[in-house]
């Protein structure tokens, strides 16, 4: 049977279990020219929360009654095309389900399991997470050695990679995260120069801590969080700072948007804020993946994974992204 | 005597008359190597409100007890330097006062009254207002013919110039302003293709009006206002839109900053927001002024002035910027 985790209604704010349903249906057959993938690992990402809303975005909303859209890595189960043979490992945009149908001419690509220690790495270091960090920092922010890099959500999958790549690029790295344990990991596991705990702090108090760590301000802000954390960051911009707007996890579940209150310093510091999606860099994914793999092999880059198990745990696993429980790239192992 | 309009305390929110004092003191003598200017026209700008706060900005706050800082145009009254002779017309950063002392090596420059129809034009078309519009649009946003340009504060001094320069660059221009009369002027006097009145409208209603005028979104947003007007604009960004953050007049008088609530569309549309100050372009002011003068002579560019009279009217004149009474570049004639 094919277990499928469906979106049954659009969440209002924080998703609740009743927004979803786990159902079983027969294992599908390949369509003409297409194939069926047995998913092994499913990526759980903040972006999925956005796809659940019926709002304009860079992708259409997940249709109600469809499985929750997810990038997965798996094995071809049955095929009607010579391009994909049963047993091939593939990665693509599928869903939270055991088996996904791939139409002819889709975007799924073959991957080589020999280059990774676990196929889940195609969803982390060599997937959207690692590549989002790579291109967002190196191509959008263009760091120079000696610059100050300030990262929010720094213990998260993207944030921890950004900090380490920034360090490789010669930046002084300051990470913001929630809680003592995450801050310990920023310094000990990911090599941040400074870790700042935002929990329980006003914008003013957080801003003062940032200023103490970077008296001349941040040359680069890599924004994953938004909200009051971003407000505090904006009070600490160096002249001509670059802000990479990569995510806003603090407000994905809130119908009332906080936005950023401190716009004036962006103007006076002549900063530039870049709305950033990774898609434009797709032609260079291979090149970047090779560099990331090399850095990992050299021990200069560590991409942690938070592997949860079982499609029946999709809801609590997904909620780890928003509760602060998650560190590292969250994946759901379903086979 | 030298009448001087002093900042006596830092305004809390909207300035009140008691924040200022008009005093008289003797006419100053030139310092060694410097000179004294008899100010004729003083520029009144939203930026002055920011200088009154004791907050980090691109210039130090106006010291309490000093005249309110202002760009002025006037005539050299007395001089201790061969570089400036009595009778020379000059422009510089002085204050709301009859006579301003210029130290040796300052930034005041000579101007040629023969190239303008009134010396006040050195504060409008050929001053910071005209040049802010010129460089902000042409150099920061880099418009292409056929693009949609959305301008807030479009009846204001900078906004009306931006719209006209955008039209010269081949853009379809949409101006947002407050009230029927200003909207009439946008179309009839400044040649905007569409005028939208934001008064009394929710973010959703304003956004819908923008969408009706630009179904594919704005390629360029020239932001002078901020607040809910900006929130509505952000819901109407074309892919890879450029946002020039030039001013935030809606929040200069509010201690509680609204900021921009709709950050998410900046990310999903891969837009770029540029914090913009004109200073970097100072070496090119002459070149730009010549182009602006040419456009005015050809009747393609109209820079209106709102000339108020008398230093004793400095407070009510300044408040015209915030009450919505002002259209065109606001100047105070004091001689």
């Amino acid at each position: 049977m094919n277990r499928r985790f469906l979106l049954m209604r659009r969440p209002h704010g924080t998703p609740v279990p009743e927004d979803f349903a786990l159902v079983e249906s027969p294992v599908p057959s390949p369509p003409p020219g297409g194939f069926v993938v047995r998913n092994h690992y499913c990526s759980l990402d903040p972006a999925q929360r956005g796809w659940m809303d019926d709002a304009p975005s860079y992708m259409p909303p997940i249709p109600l009654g469809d499985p929750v859209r997810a990038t997965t890595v798996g094995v071809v189960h049955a095929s009607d095309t010579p391009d994909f043979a049963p047993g091939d490992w593939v990665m693509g945009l599928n869903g939270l389900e055991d088996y996904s149908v791939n139409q002819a001419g889709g975007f799924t690509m073959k991957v080589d399991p020999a280059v990774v220690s676990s196929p889940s790495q195609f969803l982390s270091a060599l997937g959207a997470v690692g590549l989002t960090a790579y291109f967002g920092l190196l191509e959008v922010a263009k760091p120079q050695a000696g610059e100050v890099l300030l990262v929010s959500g720094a213990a998260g999958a993207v944030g921890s990679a950004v900090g380490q790549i920034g360090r490789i690029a010669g930046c002084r790295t300051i990470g913001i995260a929630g809680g003592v344990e995450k801050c310990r990991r920023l310094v000990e596991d990911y090599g941040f120069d400074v870790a700042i705990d935002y929990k329980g702090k006003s914008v003013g108090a957080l801003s003062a801590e940032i200023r103490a760590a970077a008296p001349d301000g941040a040359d680069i802000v890599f924004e994953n969080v938004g909200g009051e954390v971003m407000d505090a960051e904006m009070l600490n911009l160096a002249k001509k700072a670059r802000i990479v707007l990569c995510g806003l996890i603090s407000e994905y579940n809130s119908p009332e948007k906080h936005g950023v209150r401190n716009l004036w310093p962006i103007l006076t510091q002549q900063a530039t804020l870049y709305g950033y999606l990774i898609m434009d860099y797709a032609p260079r994914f291979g090149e970047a993946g090779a560099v990331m793999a090399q850095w990992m092999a050299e021990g200069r880059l560590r991409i942690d994974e938070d592997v949860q198990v079982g499609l029946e745990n999709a809801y609590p696993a997904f909620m780890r992204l928003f509760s602060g429980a998650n560190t590292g790239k969250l994946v759901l192992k379903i086979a």
Side-chain angles (χ1 to χ4, degrees), chain A:
Chain A
M1 294 300 282
N2 182 17
R3 293 174 307 155
R4 314 181 81 201
F5 185 72
L6 309 181
L7 180 67
M8 300 306 291
R9 64 181 190 194
R10 308 220 171 270
H12 183 77
T14 302
V16 295
E18 294 71 29
D19 296 330
F20 309 96
L22 186 65
V23 302
E24 293 198 350
S25 54
V27 174
S29 298
F35 57 97
V36 171
V37 178
R38 173 63 171 109
N39 297 309
H40 283 229
Y41 292 91
C42 303
S43 187
L44 297 178
D45 301 294
Q48 287 165 305
R49 176 63 188 85
W51 303 339
M52 294 174 189
D53 287 337
D54 188 14
S57 190
Y58 57 97
M59 275 196 193
I62 300 168
L64 293 180
D66 268 19
V68 171
R69 185 188 295 142
T71 305
T72 69
V73 62
V75 174
V76 174
H77 168 74
S79 177
D80 185 55
T81 167
D83 296 339
F84 293 89
D88 282 350
W89 280 87
V90 293
M91 181 179 74
L93 197 58
N94 292 301
L96 295 177
E97 56 188 348
D98 287 327
Y99 294 90
S100 291
V101 171
N102 280 252
Q103 302 293 335
F107 294 106
T108 295
M109 64 175 80
K110 276 193 253 194
V111 294
D112 178 3
V115 305
V116 290
S117 55
S118 156
S120 59
Q121 289 190 322
F122 291 112
L123 303 178
S124 60
L126 305 190
V129 160
L131 300 176
T132 292
Y134 183 95
F135 290 107
L137 185 65
L138 298 181
E139 295 298 324
V140 180
K142 298 190 197 301
Q144 303 295 313
E147 287 191 321
V148 171
L149 166 64
L150 180 61
V151 184
S152 65
V158 170
S160 61
V162 168
Q164 293 174 87
I165 298 171
R167 198 176 183 214
I168 291 170
C171 292
R172 175 173 155 79
T173 57
I174 303 171
I176 303 176
V180 172
E181 170 57 16
K182 283 187 180 176
C183 285
R184 184 194 64 73
R185 300 197 62 196
L186 289 192
V187 175
E188 294 182 11
D189 294 348
Y190 304 129
F192 279 84
D193 293 301
V194 180
I196 296 176
D197 184 355
Y198 72 81
K199 284 248 168 118
K201 284 175 193 152
S202 67
V203 171
L206 182 55
S207 171
E209 277 204 48
I210 298 170
R211 190 168 308 124
D216 298 327
D219 300 292
I220 300 169
V221 176
F222 201 103
E223 186 57 58
N224 296 305
V225 171
E228 294 197 338
V229 168
M230 186 171 178
D231 289 340
E233 292 163 352
M234 295 302 104
L235 298 174
N236 291 279
L237 297 175
K239 210 78 189 164
K240 308 226 170 163
R242 293 92 75 197
I243 304 154
V244 182
L245 183 62
C246 180
L248 290 169
I249 198 168
S250 70
E251 59 180 44
Y252 293 161
N253 287 328
S254 61
E256 197 66 33
K257 301 307 180 197
H258 181 91
V260 61
R261 304 298 165 91
N262 294 323
L263 269 181
W264 183 240
I266 296 179
L267 191 161
T268 59
Q269 296 299 85
Q270 301 172 277
T272 303
L273 181 148
Y274 298 93
Y276 167 55
L277 294 175
I278 195 182
M279 298 167 179
D280 288 355
Y281 299 96
R284 295 177 55 193
F285 283 179
E287 159 208 331
V291 175
M292 298 282 283
Q294 175 72 19
W295 284 337
M296 285 196 291
E298 294 169 358
R300 303 171 80 188
L301 178 62
R302 165 181 174 162
I303 308 273
D304 284 309
E305 296 177 357
D306 175 0
V307 181
Q308 301 293 307
V309 178
L311 199 53
E312 66 280 10
N313 292 318
Y315 173 77
F318 182 61
M319 294 309 293
R320 291 173 64 81
L321 290 169
F322 304 102
S323 66
N326 163 247
T327 53
K329 175 67 189 100
L330 184 63
V331 295
L332 188 65
K333 184 177 184 339
I334 64 171

